[in-house]
Amino acid sequence: MQLLIEPNFQDQLQASDLTPYEELSSDDIDYATQLNLLRSEQFLEQAVNALISQYPELTIDAVKSNYKLNRLVDDDAETRIFKATYSSEDPALAQRFLEELQEVYLEYNEARQQNRLRRGLNHIDNQLDSTRISLQQAQNALKQFREDSNLIDPNVQAQEAAASLITVQEERRQLEANLSELQAQYQLYEEQLGFSPASALIASRLSESPQIQTLLAEIQQIELALAERRSVFTDADPTVQLLLEQQRNQKQILNNTISDIVKTPVGQFTPDLASYLQLGTVDISLISQFLATDSSFQSLNARRESLLIQESQLGEILDSYPALISEYDQLQPEVETERATLQRLLEEREKVASELSREGYNWQVVEMPEIGRNISSSPLKTIALGGVVGVFIGGVLAFVREMTDTTVQSLSDLQKQVSFPLIGALPWVDASTPEDFRSMLFQQVSQSSNYVRGSTLIQPFLYPAFRESIDVISNLLQLRYQGKFKVLAIASGMPEEGRTTVVLGLAYSLARMSQKVLVIDADLRSSNLKEELSIEHGQDLVTALEHNTVPQAFKPSQVGSARFDVLPAGGMPADPLMLLSSPWLQHMLVRYRDIYDIVLVDTSPLLGTADATKIAGICDGVVLVTRLDQVTHDDLKSTGTILKSLDVVGLIANGESSSPSSYINSRETLVLKQPQALTRN
C-alpha cells in the first residue's frame, strides 16, 4: 500500500501562524512528523481490533514488528509518497491488515481536518455570540431612546432646529422693518384724510354705492329747485313747502340707506355724515391707498405674531437638545464600537477558516494493498539495513532537536522575526546579588517608607543598569512621540516575559522626569500588583467598571523620589472579557487622558485570550514586551498577527545578554556583574 501525503498549503503555513484562538496540534509541521504519526500505535491497534474476530492470533506486538512504513526516494530525492508493507506467512492476512489500516488512516485524516476547523473557530464563535448580544443590547437602548425622544439623530435635528430659528428670526426682523414703513404711511394717510381706518372704509363704501349716489343726485336737484323757487316766493308758498317735504323725505331715505349699508346709525358718525358724502376724486383715491396700507399692516402684524410664537417654540426645543445629545453621544458610539468589533470578528473568522482549510496534510491512497510475495533476508543484509536505519534515526533525532529549539536568542534574531521598531533593550540583572549589597543599593535608590522592599517587581529598580536602560526607553518615547500616545497598553505574547516589571519601570522613570503617571492593572485573570505594592486604597478597576465610576484621588505609590498613581485590578470577575468590553472603560481612559501626562495599562498576555486585544483597541498605542531566550519564533509570529490591526509603538526586548556584563554608574559608584534575566510577568 502507498499513501500520498500532500500539504494543503504552498507557503509552509504552520498552525502557530494563526492567531491563538485555540491550541492547534503540531502534527502537521513536516514529513518527519507525518511519518512518526503514521507509525503510531493507535492506528495499528484499531486495525488489529477490526481483524481480531477473524484472526484471533493477531497481536499488537506482532503487528509492530512486522509493519514497516517508509518514505519513497526517487533519484536521491524524497517523494511525498509513503510505502506501507506488512510481513506475514499468510498473504491474505497481510492484505486484510493493510486494507483495514488504510481505512483507519483515511478516517483519522478526515476527522482531524474537521476537528482542526472546529477547534480553530470555537473561540471566535464564542466571542461572536457575546458581541452579538452586546450589539443587540446597545441597539435596543438606542432604539428606546429614539422612541422616547421621537428623534433619529439629535445632533442633526438640533442643527436643523437652529437653522430654522435663524430663518424665523431673519424673517421677523424683515417684517418688523416693513411694518415700520407701513406705520409711517398709515400715519400720513390718517393725517391727510382725518379718518380712522374704520371711517375710511365707510366713506369708501358710500362713495362706491350707486344707490347712495342716486339719492344724492335727487337731493341735489330738489335743493336746486328749492333755491330757485325761494328766490321768488317765501317758504309759505305751497310749492316751496312741497319741495321742503321732498327734501326731508329724500334725506331720511338717504340716512336709512346709509345705515343699512354701514350697519351704523347716522347719528353716531364721526365726523358728521357730510364729511363722508363730500369726498372728491383725490380723497377717494387716498382712502383706497389708506385701506390697502391698513390691510397690509394687519397682515404683516399677524405674520409677525406667528413668527414670534415659532421663535419661542424653537427656542424651547433647542433648550432640550443638550441633554438629549449627551445621552445620544453615549449610546451611538457604543453601537458603532460593538458593530465594528462584530465586523472584525467576522473577518477574522473568515480568515482563520480559510487558513485552517489550507493548513495540514491530506492523506490519499495511491496504491491499494495487494497480496504479498515471499521474501527472505540474509543476516548480512539485515545488519546492513540496521546500520542504515540507525544512521537515519540518528539524523532524524538530530533534525527534530534542531527544529524544536525555536527560541529567539538575540536582538538581531528578534528583529528578523517582527517588523515592529525596536524601542530599546533591558539588560539582565543579577537576582542573586548578596543581601548586604542590595541593602546598599536600596539606601541609595530610596528612603521612602512606601517602598516595598520585598517585591520582586520593584527589586530591578535597585540596579543602575536597569534604571539607565529604562530611562533611555522612557526618554525615547517622549522625544519621538511628544504626547501622541498618552494612553499606552503594555502587552506581551506570553506570561513571564517581564511585562509588569516594564510597566512599573516606565512609571518609575517617567515620574522621575516630572511626568504625572497613572498605572492601570487591566490583567483581570492573574494580578498581584495590589499585594506587591502594598496598595491601601480600596479603589480598583473591576469595581469601577461594574458600578460605572471613575476612581480618583489615589494615594500615590512611591519609589525613591518617584511618585505615581496605581489603579489595581481588583477581584477576578466571572467574565473578564465582557467587563473589559464595557464602553465605560473607554470613558475612563478619556477622563484619565485629561488628568495625567501618560497612562500605562498593564494587560494580560496576547496569546490565549482576547482581553489584551480588546484593551489595546481603545488605547492610543501598544508597546510589546518580549523576553529573549524564552519567546519562540512561533510565539512572535502569532503575536504579530494579532497586532497587525493595532497601532504598535514598538518593541522592548527583555533579558538582552549582549549588553555590557558590568556597569559602572559614576554617581553611585556601584558595579553589577554576572547579570541574570528578569523573571516577573
Side-chain angles (χ1 to χ4, degrees):
M1 177 180 69
Q2 294 184 359
L3 294 173
L4 173 63
I5 309 299
E6 186 75 24
N8 288 330
F9 51 86
Q10 301 300 324
D11 53 357
Q12 301 303 316
L13 176 68
Q14 297 183 2
S16 57
D17 292 332
L18 304 179
T19 53
Y21 298 111
E22 38 77 37
E23 295 180 357
L24 296 175
S25 172
S26 59
D27 293 339
D28 307 321
I29 295 177
D30 52 11
Y31 279 98
T33 306
Q34 292 296 304
L35 182 62
N36 290 331
L37 177 63
L38 289 166
R39 288 171 173 169
S40 63
E41 188 174 325
Q42 59 174 324
F43 300 128
L44 302 180
E45 286 182 350
Q46 294 181 44
V48 169
N49 292 336
L51 296 173
I52 197 67
S53 59
Q54 186 176 357
Y55 299 95
E57 71 282 359
L58 189 63
T59 64
I60 186 64
D61 292 334
V63 167
K64 289 170 64 176
S65 61
N66 294 323
Y67 176 66
K68 306 297 181 183
L69 179 67
N70 297 294
R71 189 174 180 181
L72 291 183
V73 177
D74 185 13
D75 294 334
D76 297 329
E78 292 184 327
T79 67
R80 297 177 178 178
I81 298 177
F82 288 70
K83 183 176 182 180
T85 59
Y86 185 77
S87 302
S88 174
E89 295 180 357
D90 185 351
L93 170 59
Q95 184 181 22
R96 287 285 297 119
F97 174 77
L98 292 177
E99 289 174 348
E100 289 296 335
L101 189 60
Q102 166 191 317
E103 295 298 323
V104 170
Y105 282 157
L106 296 180
E107 289 176 2
Y108 169 79
N109 184 62
E110 182 179 357
R112 182 180 58 172
Q113 297 282 7
Q114 295 298 324
N115 188 48
R116 179 186 299 110
L117 183 62
R118 183 178 63 256
R119 290 188 295 115
L121 298 179
N122 183 57
H123 188 77
I124 289 185
D125 289 339
N126 291 337
Q127 292 190 45
L128 280 171
D129 293 341
S130 175
T131 303
R132 287 191 179 100
I133 293 174
S134 299
L135 176 60
Q136 186 62 46
Q137 292 173 346
Q139 289 176 333
N140 290 340
L142 183 59
K143 178 182 178 183
Q144 187 64 43
F145 165 80
R146 286 171 171 168
E147 291 177 352
D148 294 341
S149 61
N150 196 25
L151 295 171
I152 300 300
D153 187 341
N155 291 295
V156 175
Q157 290 169 277
Q159 294 175 0
E160 293 175 352
S164 299
L165 179 59
I166 293 173
T167 301
V168 169
Q169 290 174 337
E170 291 178 351
E171 184 178 355
R172 176 179 58 78
R173 285 192 288 268
Q174 184 62 41
L175 279 176
E176 290 175 346
N178 295 339
L179 282 171
S180 298
E181 295 178 2
L182 289 176
Q183 181 70 29
Q185 295 179 13
Y186 180 92
Q187 292 176 353
L188 179 62
Y189 288 136
E190 194 172 30
E191 291 174 359
Q192 290 177 345
L193 293 171
F195 287 153
S196 65
S199 299
L201 181 61
I202 293 174
S204 176
R205 289 180 180 177
L206 294 179
S207 64
E208 294 175 356
S209 173
Q211 188 177 3
I212 296 299
Q213 297 304 316
T214 300
L215 288 172
L216 288 174
E218 291 176 355
I219 292 173
Q220 187 176 12
Q221 291 177 0
I222 292 173
E223 289 178 346
L224 289 174
L226 181 60
E228 184 179 356
R229 188 70 177 173
R230 277 180 170 173
S231 66
V232 180
F233 301 96
T234 64
D235 288 346
D237 181 62
T239 302
V240 172
Q241 292 293 325
L242 178 60
L243 290 173
L244 290 173
E245 181 65 25
Q246 290 178 353
Q247 184 186 40
R248 286 192 295 271
N249 291 338
Q250 289 298 101
K251 286 185 176 181
Q252 185 62 42
I253 293 172
L254 177 62
N255 291 339
N256 292 338
T257 302
I258 290 173
S259 298
D260 291 340
I261 292 174
V262 300
K263 308 301 181 183
T264 303
V266 175
Q268 298 179 6
F269 280 21
T270 301
D272 58 13
L273 180 61
S275 300
Y276 293 91
L277 300 177
Q278 298 175 357
L279 298 174
T281 303
V282 175
D283 293 332
I284 292 174
S285 176
L286 288 174
I287 287 174
S288 297
Q289 296 176 16
F290 183 29
L291 291 176
T293 300
D294 181 66
S295 176
S296 298
F297 183 84
Q298 297 300 329
S299 176
L300 292 180
N301 195 50
R303 176 59 179 164
R304 175 178 174 276
E305 294 298 327
S306 175
L307 291 176
L308 286 172
I309 294 174
Q310 292 183 38
E311 187 175 341
S312 176
Q313 293 174 345
L314 288 172
E316 293 176 358
I317 292 174
L318 283 175
D319 290 341
S320 67
Y321 273 116
L324 294 174
I325 290 174
S326 177
E327 184 177 357
Y328 177 81
D329 287 345
Q330 291 180 357
L331 296 173
Q332 180 64 20
E334 183 177 353
V335 173
E336 293 175 354
T337 299
E338 294 299 336
R339 186 177 290 121
T341 301
L342 179 62
Q343 180 62 30
R344 178 178 58 80
L345 288 173
L346 290 173
E347 292 174 356
E348 289 181 357
R349 188 185 191 281
E350 182 178 354
K351 177 183 177 182
V352 170
S354 175
E355 290 180 344
L356 286 172
S357 65
R358 293 185 291 107
E359 186 259 348
Y361 288 80
N362 187 29
W363 298 353
Q364 301 178 26
V365 176
V366 295
E367 181 181 275
M368 300 297 294
E370 299 176 350
I371 294 291
R373 56 186 177 84
N374 186 28
I375 60 175
S376 61
S377 60
S378 64
L380 182 60
K381 185 177 182 180
T382 301
I383 294 172
L385 180 61
V388 172
V389 170
V391 172
F392 175 76
I393 293 176
V396 169
L397 291 176
F399 175 76
V400 170
R401 180 179 178 182
E402 182 180 352
M403 290 296 296
T404 55
D405 186 14
T406 60
T407 58
V408 178
Q409 302 293 330
S410 63
L411 286 179
S412 60
D413 189 13
L414 176 64
Q415 291 177 299
K416 292 178 182 179
Q417 301 301 319
V418 293
S419 59
F420 310 131
L422 180 65
I423 301 175
L426 295 174
W428 294 36
V429 298
D430 188 4
S432 62
T433 303
E435 180 62 28
D436 55 349
F437 185 60
R438 281 210 297 261
S439 298
M440 180 177 64
L441 288 174
F442 171 73
Q443 293 296 329
Q444 296 188 8
V445 174
S446 173
Q447 298 296 330
S448 171
S449 60
N450 292 337
Y451 177 78
V452 185
R453 187 168 180 178
S455 171
T456 56
L457 298 179
I458 299 297
Q459 285 183 359
F461 304 163
L462 302 176
Y463 300 91
F466 178 85
R467 293 204 310 277
E468 292 296 334
S469 297
I470 202 71
D471 286 346
V472 170
I473 292 172
S474 301
N475 192 46
L476 181 62
L477 286 174
Q478 285 188 298
L479 293 176
R480 181 177 295 177
Y481 301 107
Q482 297 181 351
K484 177 182 177 182
F485 300 102
K486 294 196 68 175
V487 180
L488 282 178
I490 312 299
S492 63
M494 299 294 290
E496 303 297 329
E497 293 199 68
R499 183 190 65 255
T500 303
T501 299
V502 170
V503 170
L504 294 178
L506 290 173
Y508 168 69
S509 177
L510 291 168
R512 286 164 46 233
M513 298 178 186
S514 301
Q515 297 290 297
K516 189 175 182 181
V517 183
L518 171 64
V519 173
I520 299 178
D521 186 2
D523 185 359
L524 304 187
R525 300 178 186 269
S526 176
S527 172
N528 60 350
L529 195 59
K530 183 174 183 180
E531 292 75 15
E532 288 279 354
L533 299 182
S534 300
I535 296 175
E536 297 178 355
H537 66 74
Q539 303 180 98
D540 58 67
L541 180 60
V542 171
T543 303
L545 293 178
E546 289 177 345
H547 298 87
N548 289 348
T549 61
V550 181
Q552 297 183 34
F554 304 105
K555 181 179 180 181
S557 298
Q558 182 167 345
V559 179
S561 60
R563 295 167 62 91
F564 52 88
D565 293 342
V566 178
L567 178 60
M572 180 175 176
D575 191 342
L577 179 60
M578 180 175 292
L579 197 60
L580 293 172
S581 300
S582 169
W584 191 255
L585 178 57
Q586 187 173 4
H587 173 73
M588 290 174 60
L589 295 181
V590 171
R591 292 285 300 276
Y592 288 142
R593 185 182 284 108
D594 297 333
I595 298 174
Y596 292 91
D597 295 321
I598 188 166
V599 179
L600 303 174
V601 184
D602 187 10
T603 71
S604 57
L606 289 163
L607 302 181
T609 69
D611 298 2
T613 308
K614 195 71 176 180
I615 296 171
I618 60 176
C619 292
D620 297 336
V622 185
V623 173
L624 178 64
V625 178
T626 186
R627 177 176 170 182
L628 302 179
D629 292 331
Q630 177 172 305
V631 66
T632 66
H633 296 171
D634 292 342
D635 292 340
L636 279 177
K637 289 181 180 179
S638 299
T639 304
T641 301
I642 295 176
L643 295 176
K644 280 183 179 178
S645 60
L646 301 174
D647 195 351
V648 180
V649 178
L651 176 70
I652 296 178
N654 182 22
E656 167 57 26
S657 60
S658 62
S659 59
S661 60
S662 62
Y663 176 83
I664 300 178
N665 185 305
S666 61
R667 297 186 58 187
E668 299 173 354
T669 63
L670 299 178
V671 180
L672 297 180
K673 296 183 178 180
Q674 299 176 350
Q676 182 174 343
L678 301 176
T679 57
R680 286 299 302 164
N681 63 330

